[in-house]
Amino acid sequence: MFEDRPNCQEVVLVGRSNVGKSTLMRELTGHSKFTTGKKPGVTRQPNHFDWSGEKFMFTDLPGFGFMSGVEEHRREEIKTDIVRYLESNADDILAGVLVVDGKSVVDIIDRHSGPDEIPHDVEMFHFLRELGVPVVVAVNKMDKVDDKDERLDELCDRLGLMPPWKQWSDVIAPICAKRGSIDPLYESLQTYFHEQKRDDLLKFVS
């Protein structure tokens, strides 16, 4: 069970373990207190960074999927806690940022696609949409991807979005958090903040 959260609107970061959520969180907030590590599953509780006077925060939720040294039942518990958190706080979530690894996400989705299986990334994308939460897919580590357009088109296809990816500029944001290259994500968040009449928050995504 996750700890109590501050009472304010938020942008949540969700995604598999080890895709760079905590690195992105540091880049978004400008603060280095968020723990990162080479082992998946470092983040076990939501990491909140809030501006109390603004009633706004960024939240890095624990990673789902494989975690080194973590038993399957515990991984399922974490995933359940993530789902409950999103359901309980959907009305206060201005945007959900689904962080994926640009180099491996399509292969991971394909590996876990089957008649009785929905890949976690695809499931989370559609779950957020069903909750009415605007979703940005932050395709991280794009500095390691050679065939950028082809890879992003393939990702759109797996998510049920008709390629080419460039027509989904508010949804697909190719970034490299480690290098501080996250302008496409900022632009998507700016759009969603404006649509929800929170232009006062644009200073946090520019």
Side-chain angles (χ1 to χ4, degrees), residues 96-163:
V97 180
L98 174 60
V99 187
V100 300
D101 184 326
K103 188 172 183 180
S104 62
V105 62
V106 173
D107 297 328
I108 290 172
I109 288 174
D110 288 351
R111 194 181 313 141
H112 293 279
S113 294
D116 300 315
E117 189 175 14
I118 301 174
H120 288 321
D121 303 286
V122 176
E123 184 179 33
M124 186 59 68
F125 176 74
H126 290 289
F127 176 65
L128 285 165
R129 285 187 145 196
E130 286 167 9
L131 290 176
V133 173
V135 188
V136 188
V137 183
V139 192
N140 196 21
K141 307 182 184 182
M142 287 302 291
D143 56 315
K144 299 179 181 178
V145 178
D146 296 325
D147 49 348
K148 172 181 169 180
D149 288 334
E150 182 180 341
R151 272 278 151 172
L152 294 174
D153 283 349
E154 289 175 344
L155 176 58
C156 280
D157 178 68
R158 304 309 190 271
L159 293 174
L161 305 174
M162 185 68 71

Side-chain angles (χ1 to χ4, degrees), residues 144-190:
K144 299 179 181 178
V145 178
D146 296 325
D147 49 348
K148 172 181 169 180
D149 288 334
E150 182 180 341
R151 272 278 151 172
L152 294 174
D153 283 349
E154 289 175 344
L155 176 58
C156 280
D157 178 68
R158 304 309 190 271
L159 293 174
L161 305 174
M162 185 68 71
W165 74 271
K166 289 183 179 177
Q167 68 179 326
W168 301 101
S169 59
D170 289 343
V171 180
I172 303 294
I175 65 169
C176 179
K178 198 171 184 179
R179 295 187 177 184
S181 177
I182 63 171
D183 283 352
L185 174 58
Y186 278 150
E187 290 167 10
S188 295
L189 292 176
Q190 287 165 10

Side-chain angles (χ1 to χ4, degrees), residues 9 54-56 94 192-202:
Q9 290 189 301
E54 308 284 350
K55 286 284 187 178
F56 170 70
L94 296 169
Y192 293 141
F193 287 0
H194 179 68
E195 287 176 352
Q196 295 174 79
K197 297 180 172 55
R198 289 302 310 262
D199 284 357
D200 58 303
L201 300 178
L202 295 178

Side-chain angles (χ1 to χ4, degrees), residues 5 8-12 57 61 82-96 127-135 196:
R5 66 186 280 279
C8 59
Q9 290 189 301
E10 64 184 318
V11 169
V12 296
M57 65 185 175
L61 290 175
I82 293 169
V83 167
R84 286 177 179 161
Y85 182 96
L86 295 171
E87 286 178 333
S88 299
N89 302 301
D91 290 344
D92 286 326
I93 300 175
L94 296 169
F127 176 65
L128 285 165
R129 285 187 145 196
E130 286 167 9
L131 290 176
V133 173
V135 188
Q196 295 174 79

